[in-house]
Amino acid sequence: MDTIPILTTLDKNYLPQLQVLLCSLHVNNPADSFSLWLLHSDIEEKEFSGLRSQCERYGYSFFPVQVDYELFQDAPVTRQYPNKEMYYRLLAPFLLPGEIKRILYLDPDILVINPLRPLWETDMEGRLFAAAAHTGKTELVNSVNKLRLGTGQDYYNSGVLLMDLKAGRQDISPKEVYNFVEQHRRELLLPDQDILNVLYGERILPLEDVLWNYDARNYSSYVLRSGGLWDMEWVMEHTAILHFCGKEKPWKPNYRRRFGVLYRHYMQLTRRELEPGSSD
């Protein structure tokens, strides 16, 4: 089987969470091989040592790519989204080697709890991206975002993106992205996500969020929406990607939401694996 390339963009503060993500990926996709591409601006090589060791342990290739910080020097950030690295995924077709035709972007605040290959092999039907919208309990927010941005389609979350890089190199214009940021900087609430939806929303293939971008805040909403079908047992058997969206994060003290214990389980597995002298 082919190697599945994974993309993430972050600063050094999210390296521990990326390691937890990789642990969950490895545990629940034992038959697959992955390569990790990391777009960043200011992480020193020595800070990658733990990540490199982990990738070597799993047999994954690791490719850090340093991006000129001035690329989005004037792009807006917010208190909740303070890092300009979030924009880099939009220009991934031009920041990654040309031989990479498709890649799966994952935010670092994610657990992978079931196989990803069905997502990887999804027919994108000529779209630039495949992504999920968080509806159900958040349907009001979804509608407000559509109204706010003047878009007709659902408001897609940019934390999980299956990306057709080959098509992106033809149809995405870096200048268009830069100009949009400049013209609308005061209006962007969820900066990179707003840009994705306004400029490319009509070129996104919808994914089922309950499978491929499950909002870990909204368990009760999913259960209600499914008439009780999508309970905890169903999620553990079928959901592939748990996304810890929002301000509250499971690695922080006093996190009380339902999937926090599961996240801390993978934190413990990651620490145990990386202890000196540990072995498979």
Side-chain angles (χ1 to χ4, degrees), residues 102 104 115-122 130 160 162 207 212 241:
R102 175 187 282 212
L104 177 60
L116 287 184
R117 182 158 289 278
L119 174 59
W120 174 247
E121 294 179 348
T122 297
V160 178
L162 185 59
L207 297 175
W212 305 117
I241 296 174

Side-chain angles (χ1 to χ4, degrees), residues 17 33 70 80 94 100 119:
Q17 287 71 51
S33 174
E70 294 185 359
Q80 185 172 348
F94 309 99
I100 305 176
L119 174 59

Side-chain angles (χ1 to χ4, degrees), residues 8 25 30 33 35 54 61 66 76 79 88 129 148 156 158 168 209 218 228 234 239:
T8 195
L25 178 70
S33 174
S35 60
Q54 186 180 21
S61 300
Q66 188 164 16
R79 180 176 297 179
Y88 297 168
F129 304 96
R148 175 172 64 86
Y156 295 103
S158 62
D209 60 324
N218 292 333
W234 190 97
T239 297

Side-chain angles (χ1 to χ4, degrees), residues 37-217:
W37 294 82
L38 193 160
L39 299 178
H40 72 98
S41 285
D42 59 0
I43 304 177
E44 297 182 11
E45 176 58 35
K46 63 183 180 181
E47 294 172 306
F48 287 132
S49 60
L51 191 59
R52 284 192 182 280
S53 297
Q54 186 180 21
C55 286
E56 289 174 3
R57 183 186 185 88
Y58 296 162
Y60 299 169
S61 300
F62 174 49
F63 304 100
V65 178
Q66 188 164 16
V67 179
D68 186 349
Y69 195 72
E70 294 185 359
L71 190 67
F72 279 102
Q73 184 175 9
D74 299 321
V77 294
T78 66
R79 180 176 297 179
Q80 185 172 348
Y81 303 94
N83 302 312
K84 290 184 170 59
E85 285 82 358
M86 63 184 166
Y87 291 101
Y88 297 168
R89 76 196 77 175
L90 299 174
L91 297 184
F94 309 99
L95 299 173
L96 297 174
E99 61 266 22
I100 305 176
K101 308 302 183 186
R102 175 187 282 212
I103 203 163
L104 177 60
Y105 172 85
L106 298 176
D107 270 351
D109 57 349
I110 273 173
L111 288 180
V112 176
I113 61 173
N114 275 301
L116 287 184
R117 182 158 289 278
L119 174 59
W120 174 247
E121 294 179 348
T122 297
D123 182 358
M124 294 182 65
E125 302 174 7
R127 315 291 181 92
L128 292 174
F129 304 96
H134 291 146
T135 55
K137 182 178 179 181
T138 55
E139 180 62 40
L140 177 60
V141 176
N142 185 50
S143 299
V144 168
N145 281 321
K146 289 163 62 177
L147 180 63
R148 175 172 64 86
L149 298 174
T151 56
Q153 71 282 340
D154 282 334
Y155 185 79
Y156 295 103
N157 181 274
S158 62
V160 178
L161 294 172
L162 185 59
M163 309 174 69
D164 186 335
L165 299 180
K166 182 178 180 181
R169 293 179 182 110
Q170 298 175 342
D171 297 341
I172 292 176
S173 165
K175 184 177 180 180
E176 183 181 30
V177 174
Y178 299 147
N179 288 344
F180 185 87
V181 171
E182 179 60 31
Q183 293 169 14
H184 301 277
R185 55 182 298 111
R186 297 184 183 278
E187 307 159 29
L188 299 177
L189 300 182
L190 305 171
D192 70 296
Q193 201 160 266
D194 285 355
I195 297 169
L196 173 75
N197 279 274
V198 172
L199 295 184
Y200 309 112
E202 294 182 353
R203 298 288 305 276
I204 296 176
L205 178 74
L207 297 175
E208 288 190 71
D209 60 324
V210 71
L211 295 177
W212 305 117
N213 193 345
Y214 186 106
D215 188 337
R217 299 170 294 184

